[in-house]
Amino acid sequence: MAQQINHIEIPKEWDVKKLGKLGTVVSGLTYSPDDICEENGVLVLRSSNVQGGRITFDDNVFVKVKDGDFNPVKKGDILICVRNGSKSLIGKCALINEDAEGMAFGAFMAIFRGEFNYYLIHVFSTDIYNREIHRNLGATINSINGSDLKEFKIPLPPLPEQKAIAKVLSTADAAIHTTEKLIAQKELRKKWLMQQLLTGKKRLKGFDGEWKEKKLEYFIKDYKHKPTDVDTYEVLTSAKVGLMKQTDYYGDNRITNRDDADYNVIPPNYLTYRSRSDDGLFTFNKNDLGITGLISGYYPVFTIKNGDINFILMYMNYYRQKLTKYAIGTSQLVLAMNALKEAKFNLPLEEEQTAIAQVLQAADKEISLLKAKAEKLREQKKGLMQVLLTGKKRITA
């Protein structure tokens, strides 16, 4: 018969060990704001340095501390967030690699050091681990202490099977990481292309005509249409990925007080933007959903009467910082449609606009395909974890 750990079945011949029996918990460095310095200090790893199960260096803090006054991390250690203002971040972790070796780590983090870490790092991504985290969270503060961490129960197959599982899952991780690195490279390339093509610094072959300054009113045609029956339309919302059905975004089949809400109709391939902004940036989206929908009355709707619609969309988003000078307000900026039309830009003729848009759309498609591949790899790894780390599928070296 199988045995259970946190209500999850595992093979009866597997051991169940407390984490404290598999290694040691090392506490982090306590420092004050006065200790923070420029990059000549020691880099202190914090929760923000753990992203997607890996150590990253996009948000770094350096601290004045002498050698011997802190516990440096070692390759193969597992860095764990043990205290944070956000409960969802408690327990997130990453394996220390050679790039991070020798760095310090903050007091809100802990290091687990042991000989089974290359297997345990995968267990730390399962429900077995997550249930231990939530069972031990403090009542008044989002934290787990070292003593509680040592009591976590961990399923432990025989050593050859551990190594085989770790090898399979590490291979899956490597494939995901390679694809993610390629995505980052393609995104940097697209950013460079936008900087060159949308400013005229680089011209596509066959185009040398002068760019001319025009007001956006030359290109924009606003669309003012209110629905007569809101129930005949899908309600749309604006997200980072573009326009989405509100039911997909919020998961609700119906919104509150729909009949009393103020909406604008947005047909397929029409553009919109939120006219009110707290951060001073106005993001433009196109209705690519293939349906006529409703959008909040805060979102003016318009189309392009002259020029390439995809180029104009990319161009306005690229230069959206410039549009703030056409907005009014202090704590919240408002960019009315009439003000948007007054914005002046240097733009190429429509034929070159279309060519530029096609180049940038091709770059977008390449990135989208890679992201879909990365997501498929993540799902495949998740499936492997579900069967390998619970013993539903057995492998040996």
Side-chain angles (χ1 to χ4, degrees):
M1 290 181 62
Q3 58 179 318
Q4 286 194 347
I5 176 172
N6 289 332
H7 305 292
I8 296 172
E9 287 192 351
I10 62 171
K12 63 178 181 179
E13 61 268 28
W14 283 16
D15 284 336
V16 176
K17 298 273 190 179
K18 290 184 178 180
L19 200 55
K21 297 294 184 180
L22 303 177
T24 57
V25 177
V26 184
S27 299
L29 172 70
T30 299
Y31 59 91
S32 72
D34 293 336
D35 297 323
I36 297 175
C37 60
E38 297 299 325
E39 294 189 11
N40 57 347
V42 175
L43 195 153
V44 179
L45 298 171
R46 301 165 299 134
S47 64
S48 59
N49 294 110
V50 179
Q51 299 295 334
R54 294 188 181 89
I55 300 294
T56 64
F57 302 103
D58 298 324
D59 181 18
N60 300 325
V61 164
F62 297 85
V63 171
K64 294 178 290 186
V65 60
K66 296 178 181 179
D67 289 343
D69 289 347
F70 68 95
N71 293 313
V73 298
K74 298 179 181 180
K75 182 181 178 181
D77 286 345
I78 298 177
L79 180 67
I80 307 170
C81 177
V82 294
R83 179 176 296 186
N84 197 282
S86 173
K87 184 179 292 187
S88 64
L89 298 182
I90 304 299
K92 79 170 182 172
C93 56
L95 196 69
I96 296 296
N97 56 24
E98 58 274 6
D99 294 334
E101 194 166 17
M103 294 176 180
F105 59 101
F108 282 18
M109 310 295 288
I111 282 292
F112 184 79
R113 184 169 292 157
E115 61 178 308
F116 302 100
N117 278 11
Y118 288 95
Y119 166 76
L120 291 177
I121 189 62
H122 300 295
V123 177
F124 287 2
S125 296
T126 66
D127 284 342
I128 293 172
Y129 172 77
N130 290 330
R131 290 178 187 183
E132 290 281 13
I133 290 290
H134 292 292
R135 189 166 59 87
N136 286 277
L137 280 176
T140 58
I141 187 169
N142 297 330
S143 69
I144 48 174
N145 58 48
S147 298
D148 290 335
L149 199 60
K150 292 176 184 178
E151 294 295 312
F152 283 17
K153 293 179 179 179
I154 302 295
L156 208 65
L159 187 58
E161 190 170 0
Q162 285 182 46
K163 291 181 177 179
I165 291 172
K167 184 177 180 180
V168 170
L169 296 179
S170 295
T171 300
D173 276 336
I176 294 168
H177 186 47
T178 298
T179 307
E180 288 175 342
K181 283 176 65 176
L182 190 54
I183 291 170
Q185 291 170 3
K186 295 296 183 182
E187 286 178 334
L188 282 174
R189 179 178 177 272
K190 184 202 168 188
K191 184 178 180 181
W192 178 84
L193 282 172
M194 292 178 70
Q195 290 171 339
Q196 299 298 308
L197 296 177
L198 296 178
T199 60
K201 292 178 182 177
K202 179 180 176 65
R203 305 293 293 276
L204 295 175
K205 187 176 180 180
F207 297 100
D208 55 11
E210 182 182 355
W211 289 27
K212 295 183 180 180
E213 184 179 73
K214 288 183 179 291
K215 290 183 178 181
L216 286 182
E217 66 177 352
Y218 174 78
F219 301 96
I220 289 176
K221 180 181 179 182
D222 49 341
Y223 181 81
K224 298 178 179 179
H225 185 68
K226 296 292 183 180
T228 55
D229 183 0
V230 295
D231 289 328
T232 62
Y233 298 93
E234 285 273 5
V235 178
L236 309 182
T237 192
S238 185
K240 289 182 180 179
V241 295
L243 291 186
M244 296 176 61
K245 293 180 181 179
Q246 195 175 72
T247 51
D248 292 337
Y249 188 77
Y250 292 108
D252 297 324
N253 294 321
R254 193 64 102 185
I255 66 165
T256 306
N257 297 325
R258 179 169 178 159
D259 291 337
D260 299 328
D262 177 36
Y263 291 114
N264 292 325
V265 175
I266 179 167
N269 298 316
Y270 276 55
L271 305 177
T272 187
Y273 69 100
R274 191 175 192 274
S275 59
R276 300 183 181 187
S277 172
D278 295 325
D279 61 5
L281 297 176
F282 300 91
T283 301
F284 296 82
N285 282 317
K286 185 172 76 166
N287 180 3
D288 285 325
L289 299 176
I291 60 171
T292 297
L294 302 181
I295 193 77
S296 164
Y298 289 127
Y299 289 77
V301 177
F302 62 98
T303 188
I304 302 301
K305 60 182 179 181
N306 294 303
D308 184 277
I309 187 170
N310 294 310
F311 174 84
I312 300 297
L313 174 63
M314 296 173 183
Y315 194 87
M316 288 193 296
N317 277 324
Y318 184 78
Y319 284 102
R320 58 186 184 151
Q321 185 69 53
K322 180 179 176 180
L323 292 172
T324 60
K325 76 175 187 178
Y326 297 94
I328 59 172
T330 52
S331 60
Q332 186 181 70
L333 293 178
V334 177
L335 181 64
M337 176 59 71
N338 288 339
L340 178 67
K341 290 179 178 180
E342 290 297 309
K344 295 180 180 179
F345 292 97
N346 284 319
L347 292 109
L349 296 176
E350 184 172 351
E351 188 177 357
E352 186 174 359
Q353 291 180 23
T354 300
I356 291 171
Q358 288 173 346
V359 170
L360 295 178
Q361 285 177 314
D364 274 335
K365 184 176 181 180
E366 195 173 13
I367 293 168
S368 294
L369 289 173
L370 284 170
K371 286 183 176 180
K373 179 182 177 181
E375 184 57 32
K376 185 176 180 180
L377 288 170
R378 282 190 285 268
E379 287 298 314
Q380 289 174 345
K381 186 203 168 188
K382 184 178 178 181
L384 284 170
M385 289 172 61
Q386 288 173 344
V387 295
L388 296 180
L389 295 172
T390 59
K392 291 178 182 176
K393 182 176 181 179
R394 307 294 295 274
I395 59 172
T396 56

